[in-house]
Amino acid sequence: MTSSPPPSAAHIQSHLYHAFLHARTADVALRVRGSWHGLYHLHRVVLIQAGFFKSLFDGGFREGDASQSARDEVSVTFDDPNITRAAFELCISRLYGGGPDLYLDPRLKPSRDVPLTPSFPRPAPPTDTPAAHHPATPRFLLSLLATAIYLAVPSLVSQTILLVLNSLGPHTVIRYLNFAIGKGIGDKGDNELDAAVGLEHVCVEFSQPDTARSNSVRSAASKQPKTSIARVLSAEALETLHKEQATDTDSSFSDSDAEHDRANANGAAAGDNDDDDDDDGPVFMYGAASNKIGEAAACWLCRWGADMLLYEEAVEPAPPGTSQTRTGPARRRATESCAGAPPPGVLSLAKEHVPRIWRRGGLDARWVRAVLSADAFFVRDERERYDVARRAVELRRRAAVDDAEEREWAALFADGIHYMHMPLDDLIEIAQDVSPTTGTRFAPAAVVQAAHWNQSMLRHHVTGRTSAACPKDGSLGLAQTTAELLAASAAPAADPQRAYYPVPADASSRIGDTTGLEGAPSMDELFAAEAAGSGTTKGKGLFTPHTPATFFGIAGGGRSAAACAAADAGGAARWSAYPPMRFGVEFWGLDALREKARLNSQTVWYAGSLYNVYVQVVRKKGLQLGMYLHRLSSIEAIPAPSAPPPPLVPAPAVAPPPETAGSGGSRLATVQPVTIPTSLSTPTLTRFASRGTTASSRPTTPASSPGTGGASPPSSSSPVSAGGLHAAAAAGRPPAQPYRDPRESVRAHFTLLCAAPAGAALTRFASAPDAFAVGRSWGWKSSALQTEEHLSGAGAGSEGQAAGAGREVSLRATVVIGVV
């Protein structure tokens, strides 16, 4: 006698999914009210895999009573307008082990070769969604995330977050950011489906509330402003709901209320310019999940913001008769030769294809100010930061002058730019710079004058002491603890509005870290990072949670003494009254870099010393990339900065082959700015000191001789031809040096902020103040700055062989340095 084999797991799963599709043997009728009204015939044993239904059916409530018949309906009301029918149906189908696969349009996916996605700057050919696949549009993904969090399906939450992050680009960044700050999933597009593909018939639709006997569960949190629904309703919350609604088993639902909520969410996501925080409608936020998306969007804006502004300016030109050029002295720097010029071919782009980021309908004014002020915002220096801010503000003003925005612009130009680190010529020019729209100055005169005063005071601190009077560690006594700051601010003559800047401690952190998202077995583990604040940090010092209140970790700048005390309850953090210097560096040809060879940045002058940044490939513990800040000695040559390759030269003047005749003249290489990727895990902080440059880099003449403004390499982010600047950048020239610090050692802190390849993450290395001797380098080497895939050619073969065929790779970073 033989027995038949037991059914396999796949057979059982197929059986259950077939029962779901055909509404057979259902033991619960789920009546859903929300952005749609429908009835679903489902199975309790399957639904309780989701935390929400487990609490509902397995938490001792009457919905879980075995005596309940399948005709007894359980009514669930979703007041969250971000929960849509298609997303709900896909969540339910996943509980049954089925449902359509998701199809993410390749045009939305950035890559190493096309970090701004294949659909930018020109539209890519449309792609057809494969059969039996549901289109994973940005709006649908956000709705799926909101629904999966509400129902507590951790596997689907983690998968959806990764799909969102993998589709972050020019056309999605504003929608994703708006979702992260509670403005909803955005307007419904033409290609959005009402029902999930293949599941159109599982819902029995109805248009009016039914009077059938039902047990109603309604979201109690949805009517609260600024509510987080990252957690599902607990058993106690469900019990409270049942007690409150015991006298009304048929919970009423207002169509007009739902439409009002949807209008508020969609209007905000569509770019209604309302910078007031007093929104009447509820704001739906999702804790660590939405914070993670917000971090990625904020990092992307810092990485690509200046580039995108060029495109938006090109399709929104200034009206005839107005000038966008600055007034004042005619002195120009090397990096300004292409400033404000539209990228090649952008004039032929359709206006509607360039996404609204800086224009009205994109970022609100608070976010414009935060991004432009952020340390991580990639610009060459503070003067370029001012120029970009000026252009972005004028772009908004050309549409309309708004009083609420003007208050943000005033704060931006007063506090968001460190004018102290500009030469006097720039300060004079900025003091005379007037808006062509409003006729007012961008920067207040008092702010520019204070910057010049701070320059003079810092020079006095550096040069006004004898060597014997200086501490051996190079300290100037410019840093104060919070306790000392509060004591000084209590003096009658103290300025309560004086800004103080944090002095960092040794730490490493990552904004946009996705470690732990995959394979999380429960919602508690998935959201474990929320308790400690979103983002991952190693080290010590002030901790800033990555939430909307801190613009997801990119907020910085000075604080008043009272704000310093509020941020540091222990009173041990240190602060400086002098803003640190910020400058951007960029390195090209990393995959052709041999081991121990260097790529150098431009050389900058700060507080009497010359600094540059260089990168090296290290192979001691696997393949790592080192990045170091170097203080140049007076006998070191100014190294040539890394720069993009020159454009392709015109073809020789010979008759072209027949098949190419008449195809046009010379052709310029398309330079696609790409950074090497960072790992998804937070780097282990390992700081190294190394001696200065090798003997081969020693000059024959001192580098401290008076010089003109240093030639900086062109910004590779600017989608313009860099060929005209390549020759100038090839020769390292010293920047202007108003004075020299005579001390052998200075005490300085510094921070390196390195962008991920497509800009969706940022790695931050911070060094506490330390002795910085002449000819010394401080920095880090870490696998977090590279992967084998992108540096596999480093250290082997010729540069031409390692670089690949026509593919350019660049690494971007922002450096923040301050003396104490």
Side-chain angles (χ1 to χ4, degrees), residues 337-421:
S337 60
C338 296
V346 75
L347 295 178
S348 61
L349 287 177
K351 180 178 178 180
E352 60 272 13
H353 187 70
V354 177
R356 292 181 177 270
I357 295 177
W358 299 104
R359 291 173 289 170
R360 195 175 303 277
L363 295 170
D364 66 32
R366 290 178 63 251
W367 267 91
V368 171
R369 174 190 171 192
V371 172
L372 292 172
S373 304
D375 290 348
F377 185 67
F378 187 83
V379 285
R380 304 299 299 177
D381 52 28
E382 290 301 316
R383 178 54 195 265
E384 186 169 312
R385 185 185 301 268
Y386 171 84
D387 292 339
V388 171
R390 180 192 188 279
R391 289 158 44 208
V393 167
E394 282 304 298
L395 185 65
R396 293 286 278 256
R397 283 174 172 171
R398 291 204 293 269
V401 176
D402 180 83
D403 290 341
E405 289 189 343
E406 290 302 311
R407 290 191 291 271
E408 294 293 339
W409 308 152
L412 166 64
F413 288 106
D415 306 322
I417 301 169
H418 299 173
Y419 301 96
M420 172 185 169
H421 304 296

Side-chain angles (χ1 to χ4, degrees), residues 155-174:
S155 60
L156 196 53
V157 171
S158 61
Q159 293 169 12
T160 307
I161 292 176
L162 291 175
L163 283 173
V164 169
L165 298 183
N166 288 336
S167 58
L168 181 63
H171 294 288
T172 59
V173 63
I174 295 300

Side-chain angles (χ1 to χ4, degrees), residues 481-727:
T481 65
T482 306
E484 294 170 341
L485 200 65
L486 287 175
S489 64
D495 180 5
Q497 302 302 319
R498 180 79 185 258
Y500 298 90
Y501 299 84
V503 175
D506 287 338
S508 66
S509 62
R510 185 171 172 84
I511 304 176
D513 183 46
T514 56
T515 303
L517 286 181
E518 292 186 271
S522 67
M523 294 296 289
D524 288 337
E525 292 189 26
L526 186 64
F527 285 87
E530 187 177 14
S534 188
T536 308
T537 302
K538 292 182 180 180
K540 54 187 178 179
L542 292 175
F543 173 72
T544 302
H546 300 169
T547 63
T550 63
F551 299 94
F552 301 110
I554 67 168
R559 311 183 192 188
S560 65
C564 294
D568 177 34
R574 291 190 290 174
W575 311 83
S576 173
Y578 295 95
M581 181 179 181
R582 306 178 291 192
F583 63 98
V585 297
E586 190 159 20
F587 303 97
W588 291 81
L590 282 160
D591 42 5
L593 187 63
R594 298 186 181 91
E595 187 173 9
K596 296 184 180 180
R598 294 182 180 181
L599 289 176
N600 294 282
S601 75
Q602 76 274 23
T603 299
V604 301
W605 176 89
Y606 165 64
S609 298
L610 294 175
Y611 297 91
N612 74 349
V613 177
Y614 65 87
V615 294
Q616 283 182 322
V617 173
V618 183
R619 291 182 176 272
K620 287 185 178 180
K621 296 182 179 179
L623 189 61
Q624 295 181 317
L625 185 70
M627 181 176 289
Y628 305 93
L629 178 67
H630 178 68
R631 185 185 177 203
L632 278 72
S633 70
S634 60
I635 59 173
E636 285 185 70
I638 304 297
S642 177
L648 297 181
V649 298
V654 297
E659 62 271 20
T660 61
S663 61
S666 63
R667 181 172 62 90
L668 295 181
T670 300
V671 178
Q672 188 64 266
V674 188
T675 59
I676 58 176
T678 53
S679 65
L680 295 182
S681 59
T682 300
T684 301
L685 177 63
T686 309
R687 193 163 59 121
F688 295 88
S690 65
R691 273 294 163 192
T693 55
T694 60
S696 60
S697 65
R698 298 289 182 179
T700 56
T701 56
S704 57
S705 58
T708 58
S712 301
S715 173
S716 66
S717 65
S718 302
V720 296
S721 171
L725 300 179
H726 183 72

